[in-house]
Amino acid sequence: MGKIIDLSSVLEKEEKLQRVEDFLEELKDDFAELIEEYEEDNADQDKLDAMTDALDALEDAYDIISDIVADEI
């Protein structure tokens, strides 16, 4: 007999991935706004650089998860 696949488990995993993608998108958007607020307040450049690096990492994670959700990986 062939291997039986539990579709509910597969769908649950896909829904979790979608939630992670949505969360990352919201997080990176909120973080970008926060960085802009720090820039408007003339925050320390080292702090801004670190925050920008963190935002870049969030964007990279979002792009990878989006590719996974879209079945491009």
Side-chain angles (χ1 to χ4, degrees):
M1 289 196 136
K3 183 177 179 182
I4 297 175
I5 299 173
D6 182 2
L7 290 180
S8 63
S9 175
V10 171
L11 291 175
E12 185 177 306
K13 289 176 187 172
E14 294 298 322
E15 289 171 356
K16 286 179 182 178
L17 272 174
Q18 184 63 57
R19 286 196 312 262
V20 168
E21 179 188 25
D22 294 344
F23 175 74
L24 282 172
E25 182 174 31
E26 184 177 340
L27 182 60
K28 70 182 186 73
D29 291 345
D30 289 348
F31 198 54
E33 289 177 17
L34 181 61
I35 291 171
E36 287 178 15
E37 291 175 21
Y38 271 87
E39 288 174 338
E40 290 170 1
D41 291 340
N42 296 316
D44 177 71
Q45 190 59 48
D46 289 337
K47 181 181 278 190
L48 286 172
D49 290 345
M51 293 173 75
T52 301
D53 289 344
L55 179 60
D56 290 342
L58 282 172
E59 289 172 341
D60 290 345
Y62 172 79
D63 290 343
I64 293 167
I65 296 299
S66 293
D67 288 347
I68 293 168
V69 169
D71 286 331
E72 294 179 7
I73 290 182

